Amino acid sequence: MRAIMVMFDTLNRRYLPPYGATGIHAPNFARLQERTATFDNCYAGSMPCMPARREMHTGRHNFLHRSWGPLEPFDDSVPAMLGAAGVHSHLATDHYHYWEDGGATYHNRYSTYELFRGQEGDRWKGQVADPDELTNPRSMRTGPGGIRQDTINRRHMRTEDRHPQTLTFDAGLEFIDTNRDADRWFLQIETFDPHEPFFSYDRHRQHYPHDYDGPHFDWPDYGRVSEDRQAVEHLRAEYASLLTMCDASLGRVLDAMDEHGMWDDTMLIVCTDHGFLLGERGWWGKSVQPWYDETIHTPLFIWDPRSGVRGERRGTLVQTVDLGPTLLEFFGVERTPDMHGSPLADAVGEDSAVRDGALFGIFGGHANVTDGRYVYMRACADPGNQPLDEYTLMPTHMNAPFTPEELRVATLSPPLPFTKGVPVLRVPGQSFGNPWSFGTMLFDLHADPGQREPLVDDALELRMARLMTRLLREHDAPPGQFERLGLPAEGEVGPEHLLARAQWPQVAASTAALPEPAEFRSTGLGVLSSFDELLDDPLGREVVTRHLPLIARADVRPRIGRLSPYRLAAMTPTLSPALLKMMDDELAGAGAGDGRGE
């Protein structure tokens, strides 16, 4: 028995023909649908990239205890478990977060692996001189790994055969060809695409003719859409072009399975980690806004040669945490007691129920639950969004270790239920956004599939809050999460725990436009000054650290230091008009600045 997983990053189900998309050239995804079971109710779990991969390895959620980080010493890892059972696992990937500080323990769990450089701002090619012209010249991404590095990297992939996606699939196909007669192997072909920047080639762009006369634009800043309709449609066409390139790569895998007669004994899983907002709801990106269906409701295709189900839909509720256990069961390896995911063999074969509720979210953001029809997005119970703690023995962020300042206040926590008797560091955590700004929301996907009309229904909220609380307890959520969310760690959830009605003003305010810059001070330090200016001034640093502690962190400042609080407010409602005005007033006594932050 063999298994192949083809994993894409940021694959939007609404852009795929098997999920109803029109005007998208993706013949191989249509072909895939004919050969597999297509899941209509697959939800991601822990967001975004590396938290999703941690739960693929461990079969349990990450976001309740940890932000972006490596595999922990106490974690189970499905590829490592397969290797211990005599199944050779091989990873071919261009997903560069694997070789950053926050992902460096994942790829070594595979028997063998190949890594391909150059995606996004991967610090790959070294060039001291600045490029003559930058890709995406209006982007805020000016720090390490930003548009400067992306511009340099692209010069080394002028043709499609040199693109890291192509090289990744080349390597995967080489593994298939080399091992087509061997048994007991698992191959993971994982590409960073169609993650932004949406960089592809003319043969794919030709499918999406459109008018656009603006600057180069294929990498949006996460935040509110400020571009005109022509630019929005252009970016969507760029995404579609990259998706079409992904479709061509997928077709190469399907061709190989046909050529080598692999369908009789080889499982195929095609999946993603999350989606992306492409201007819907007036937003670009993910993570800074709630996890709407465009970002969390994901495509999933599975071929299991044992049941032989093809060309059929599956409606049962499944999640990312189920993928690892599915592979273990296929190869006859037992799950560990710490895994919460379930094998999907019966779901593929007979559409058998897997769960009655699915948790999902990001560390410090909304906690969310769906039963397949209703989606409940629960914000924090008060504006402080506290307590929030990281539980870890691997104290790194995405691309930097925890700072000494963070670690000085760390304490040693007793073992958690899943740490195998090992105590862990408990470190006060920070979130990039604050769910309080969006409020608690409840949606009926049957009546409102676009999630445009949040409900205020006490009876329904009570039912969903009880479902959420039960799942939080089952998934070993720490006491601080219950306190942060205003839910009881023990006992019954009652009407006194409901939030949607009380937080309706935040829901309404989250759609309000920002005041004009002229309404704030333009001389001296204020919210129109850059964070670099503010953090270099004693009073400015005190104000920023008190209201926006994440900004002062050593690994965050280089990426957004040139922005102003006002510009950041365009990215997230966490900086409300009221908070901007408060900060502007508090900064009135700070040193003289030029007020020219972006």
Side-chain angles (χ1 to χ4, degrees):
M1 305 294 279
R2 294 88 63 87
I4 299 171
M5 175 186 286
V6 178
M7 183 177 177
F8 298 95
D9 193 304
T10 315
L11 185 64
N12 277 8
R13 74 193 296 272
R14 298 187 184 200
Y15 275 70
L16 295 177
Y19 289 95
T22 59
I24 301 295
H25 183 74
N28 291 300
F29 276 102
R31 179 180 165 198
L32 177 68
Q33 177 188 10
E34 296 172 356
R35 301 300 300 261
T36 62
T38 301
F39 282 79
D40 290 321
N41 269 316
C42 180
Y43 280 79
S46 300
M47 293 289 98
C49 303
M50 297 319 293
R53 283 152 183 81
R54 187 179 176 204
E55 65 179 32
M56 288 183 179
H57 278 251
T58 64
R60 60 178 300 119
H61 292 314
N62 169 93
F63 76 98
L64 298 172
H65 304 87
R66 187 68 167 91
S67 62
W68 185 300
L71 284 173
E72 300 278 351
F74 48 78
D75 278 345
D76 302 310
S77 169
V78 166
M81 292 172 65
L82 291 176
V87 179
H88 187 105
S89 59
H90 184 77
L91 172 67
T93 186
D94 60 3
H95 197 285
Y96 74 101
H97 294 311
Y98 279 118
W99 46 91
E100 291 180 318
D101 293 307
T105 56
Y106 290 85
H107 52 281
N108 279 306
R109 308 285 74 76
Y110 296 81
S111 306
T112 49
Y113 56 84
E114 299 176 80
L115 311 175
F116 298 93
R117 303 294 303 273
Q119 285 280 18
E120 198 182 46
D122 180 16
R123 289 181 281 182
W124 176 38
K125 294 295 185 179
Q127 178 179 313
V128 176
D130 287 334
D132 294 333
E133 184 177 353
L134 293 173
T135 61
N136 299 281
R138 295 182 178 177
S139 175
M140 60 159 276
R141 294 179 170 89
T142 58
I147 55 172
R148 182 186 185 277
Q149 186 66 56
D150 175 56
T151 302
I152 294 168
N153 288 349
R154 292 195 199 192
R155 293 182 175 182
H156 298 272
M157 52 184 84
R158 297 187 188 277
T159 56
E160 192 171 344
D161 63 307
R162 299 173 67 185
H163 191 282
Q165 179 193 144
T166 304
L167 297 175
T168 295
F169 278 84
D170 286 348
L173 292 168
E174 179 186 27
F175 181 90
I176 290 173
D177 187 62
T178 300
N179 298 287
R180 64 180 184 268
D181 296 325
D183 193 21
R184 292 185 66 77
W185 53 255
F186 164 57
L187 168 65
Q188 184 170 329
I189 305 175
E190 179 184 340
T191 180
F192 191 66
D193 293 324
H195 192 289
E196 73 280 0
F198 308 134
F199 166 52
S200 63
Y201 298 88
D202 287 344
R203 79 179 183 107
H204 306 299
R205 294 192 187 102
Q206 69 180 357
H207 295 288
Y208 309 99
H210 62 283
D211 295 324
Y212 178 67
D213 54 10
H216 184 103
F217 182 44
D218 62 14
W219 191 357
D221 293 334
Y222 288 11
R224 302 177 195 267
V225 174
S226 59
E227 294 80 5
D228 61 22
R229 171 53 57 179
Q230 185 187 63
V232 171
E233 293 304 323
H234 167 71
L235 193 80
R236 290 172 175 172
E238 294 290 86
Y239 175 83
S241 301
L242 184 54
L243 189 150
T244 294
M245 181 176 169
C246 293
D247 179 83
S249 294
L250 171 65
R252 298 174 65 197
V253 176
L254 301 181
D255 289 345
M257 292 187 70
D258 288 342
E259 178 185 350
H260 301 308
M262 301 177 70
W263 296 97
D264 289 342
D265 64 356
T266 306
M267 172 176 279
L268 175 64
I269 300 174
V270 178
C271 60
T272 190
D273 50 0
H274 52 69
F276 196 83
L277 283 169
L278 287 159
E280 299 89 351
R281 307 172 193 283
W283 287 90
W284 298 122
K286 60 183 185 292
S287 300
V288 297
Q289 61 283 103
W291 292 95
Y292 295 109
D293 251 33
E294 292 92 340
T295 53
I296 202 71
H297 194 174
T298 57
L300 176 64
F301 306 86
I302 299 180
W303 162 254
D304 187 333
R306 297 170 300 178
S307 61
V309 170
R310 63 181 68 195
E312 296 183 18
R313 314 291 295 201
R314 292 294 178 256
T316 191
L317 185 61
V318 301
Q319 286 199 274
T320 308
V321 290
D322 300 323
L323 298 182
T326 297
L327 289 166
L328 292 177
E329 185 274 336
F330 182 73
F331 286 106
V333 180
E334 290 293 326
R335 285 178 289 166
T336 70
D338 293 327
M339 291 184 171
H340 289 136
S342 299
L344 297 181
D346 290 342
V348 172
E350 302 173 357
D351 205 14
S352 299
V354 176
R355 58 175 49 79
D356 62 354
L359 280 176
F360 57 89
I362 189 171
F363 182 76
H366 285 81
N368 311 271
V369 69
T370 182
D371 61 3
R373 173 174 179 174
Y374 298 103
V375 174
Y376 182 46
M377 302 175 172
R378 189 175 177 98
C380 46
D382 61 62
N385 196 30
Q386 292 294 322
L388 184 62
D389 295 301
E390 305 253 17
Y391 294 87
T392 183
L393 288 176
M394 301 290 291
T396 65
H397 298 295
M398 178 193 295
N399 47 27
F402 280 29
T403 64
E405 290 76 16
E406 290 176 280
L407 293 174
R408 285 190 194 107
V409 295
T411 57
L412 193 63
S413 170
L416 300 174
F418 55 90
T419 63
K420 301 176 173 60
V422 178
V424 294
L425 289 177
R426 177 181 174 183
V427 186
Q430 298 164 347
S431 60
F432 190 73
N434 188 334
W436 176 267
S437 305
F438 285 95
T440 293
M441 292 179 285
L442 180 63
F443 295 99
D444 180 351
L445 295 181
H446 287 187
D448 178 26
Q451 295 176 301
R452 300 291 179 183
E453 302 293 336
L455 302 173
V456 177
D457 182 325
D458 291 351
L460 178 59
E461 184 184 2
L462 183 59
R463 180 167 73 80
M464 296 302 289
R466 286 173 173 168
L467 174 61
M468 174 179 288
T469 302
R470 192 197 88 211
L471 293 176
L472 288 172
R473 295 170 182 172
E474 290 177 0
H475 287 78
D476 307 311
Q481 286 285 8
F482 291 96
E483 183 179 347
R484 182 180 77 92
L485 297 168
L487 291 169
E490 298 178 349
E492 187 71 12
V493 179
E496 68 275 16
H497 298 110
L498 303 185
L499 294 180
R501 189 178 301 277
Q503 293 187 355
W504 181 255
Q506 290 110 272
V507 176
S510 69
T511 62
L514 282 177
E516 292 297 319
E519 297 187 29
F520 301 96
R521 290 182 304 106
S522 60
T523 58
L525 287 182
V527 296
L528 302 182
S529 305
S530 72
F531 281 112
D532 281 338
E533 290 180 289
L534 294 172
L535 291 169
D536 286 341
D537 178 88
L539 177 58
R541 170 172 283 276
E542 189 276 325
V543 171
V544 170
T545 302
R546 177 155 38 86
H547 293 293
L548 304 167
L550 185 68
I551 304 302
R553 211 169 71 189
D555 62 314
V556 175
R557 179 177 175 177
R559 289 184 281 149
I560 62 174
R562 66 186 277 259
L563 297 182
S564 65
Y566 181 86
R567 178 68 182 85
L568 188 61
M571 299 171 56
T572 170
T574 298
L575 275 78
S576 65
L579 179 56
L580 286 174
K581 181 65 168 61
M582 181 187 301
M583 291 179 64
D584 210 44
D585 290 344
E586 292 176 2
L587 290 164
D594 61 14
R596 292 178 295 181
E598 296 190 16

